[in-house]
Amino acid sequence: MPRLRRLVAGHFTPARIAALRPRIVEIAADLLAGLPEPGTADLVSGYALPLPVTVICELFGVPEADRTVFHVWSNELVMPASPQTGASAAGALGAYLADLIHRKRGAQEADLLSDLVATAREPGAESPLTSEELLGMAFLLLVAGHETTVNLISATVHALLTHPDQLELLRSEPELVGSAVEEALRHYAPVHATAFRFAAEPLDLAGTHIPTGDAVQISLAAASRDPLHFPDPDRFDLRRQGPAHLAFGHGLHHCLGAPLARTEAVIAVRLLLHHCPDLALAADPAALTWRTSMLVRGLSELPVRIGSVGAR
Ligand code: HEM
């Protein structure tokens, strides 16, 4: 395992993430309690977004007062309105994180960033993090925590509300919620492409010649709908069997946050459906808009009708 990945991988094991479950349930329940009932609400800004943002900020010890501006920067970084605004958000985020790391050095707090700060300066450690590496790691993890799971939660709900037979199936067999999240990962690919790879040697792939040094970006969205591997790939099907999707990437760089993202999405969908037995889309599906960048794709808004709340 690459050195930098090894230094943080221990914090993202399924066991560490399972320990967060009660807190994730609590945050989701609080958010649901804040939705109008009955009424209509935007499920992205009211639920799918604040859930993972609160979890990742608590995990990293980002003070509550800073979370809104942090999110504005991270959003601008991933989907910049222009190259200038993207660069200025990256600068602001980097300066903010450098300052937060500085503050963590002085205070012995119980959060992941404080742990990384401690790892960074352990005397005689086999491979301590340099300050730049620490900053880069905090940057990557916090931005990933902000810009990905929101799209998975909203995509899963969108899929269920636009496929009433699958929603009915899930309501009758709630234990399929994990399958619903996996199928949404395959069907929507919230991170739709990998970071660039560079060809180490010349390569011929499906009739295309790739010379040494050329940049290659892999479409995970296309891979997860490859008809050679996924029969009837455009169908959203909770009972789908067969090969695993590629929504979290593959191999050496397989997503480190996958256990966290899966846990959050399963809890979010399970609690939402339980809380809102009559949940329905409050907009024409064709009118919904999607925000797409080089890496991520997700709904801008998901207007829903809440109806009566409580058990059916
Ligand atoms: C639905 C949610 C998520 C999806 C679909 C997703 C997807 C991905 C994908 C496809 C990659 C591989 C990129 C490549 O090969 O170039 C990746 C890497 C990574 N993800 Fe995620 N991710 C999600 C959530 C998260 C979360 C919540 C975190 C952390 C808080 C996270 C942290 C990372 C890190 C650190 C890497 C780089 C791993 C490495 O290079 O060794 N991800 N993710």
Side-chain angles (χ1 to χ4, degrees), residues 5 56 140-141 144 148 191 194-195 197 220 247-249 253 255 257 261:
R5 186 179 165 108
I56 200 75
L140 172 62
L141 290 170
T148 55
V191 174
T194 65
R197 306 295 199 268
L220 299 169
F248 287 119
H253 294 286
C255 177

Side-chain angles (χ1 to χ4, degrees), residues 8 11-12 56 60 70 112 116 135-147 256-257:
V8 289
H11 296 284
F12 284 91
I56 200 75
F60 272 81
F70 189 97
L112 183 45
L116 290 176
L135 185 62
M137 188 57 81
F139 207 99
L140 172 62
L141 290 170
L142 271 159
V143 172
H146 272 74
E147 305 298 333
L256 211 54

Side-chain angles (χ1 to χ4, degrees), residues 241-298:
Q241 303 287 325
H245 58 72
L246 290 171
F248 287 119
H250 181 72
L252 207 56
H253 294 286
H254 183 266
C255 177
L256 211 54
L260 177 61
R262 285 186 158 120
T263 302
E264 289 178 345
V266 164
I267 290 173
V269 175
R270 183 167 55 76
L271 263 60
L272 175 71
L273 293 185
H274 183 75
H275 185 78
C276 309
D278 301 319
L279 190 73
L281 209 53
D284 173 0
L288 296 174
T289 56
W290 298 78
R291 300 166 68 246
T292 306
S293 77
M294 289 269 292
L295 295 176
V296 298
R297 179 172 179 269

Side-chain angles (χ1 to χ4, degrees), residues 11-79:
H11 296 284
F12 284 91
T13 58
R16 289 290 288 262
I17 300 307
L20 294 177
R21 213 171 275 161
R23 180 64 191 133
I24 299 174
V25 168
E26 206 170 53
I27 297 167
D30 281 352
L31 290 167
L32 288 172
L35 295 178
E37 45 188 62
T40 55
D42 169 26
L43 209 72
V44 174
S45 58
Y47 191 60
L49 177 65
L51 175 58
V53 165
T54 307
V55 172
I56 200 75
C57 285
E58 286 190 1
L59 199 61
F60 272 81
V62 175
E64 209 167 339
D66 301 344
R67 290 181 193 167
T68 307
V69 65
F70 189 97
H71 180 65
V72 171
W73 289 327
S74 107
N75 209 242
E76 187 53 38
L77 182 75
V78 175
M79 298 191 188

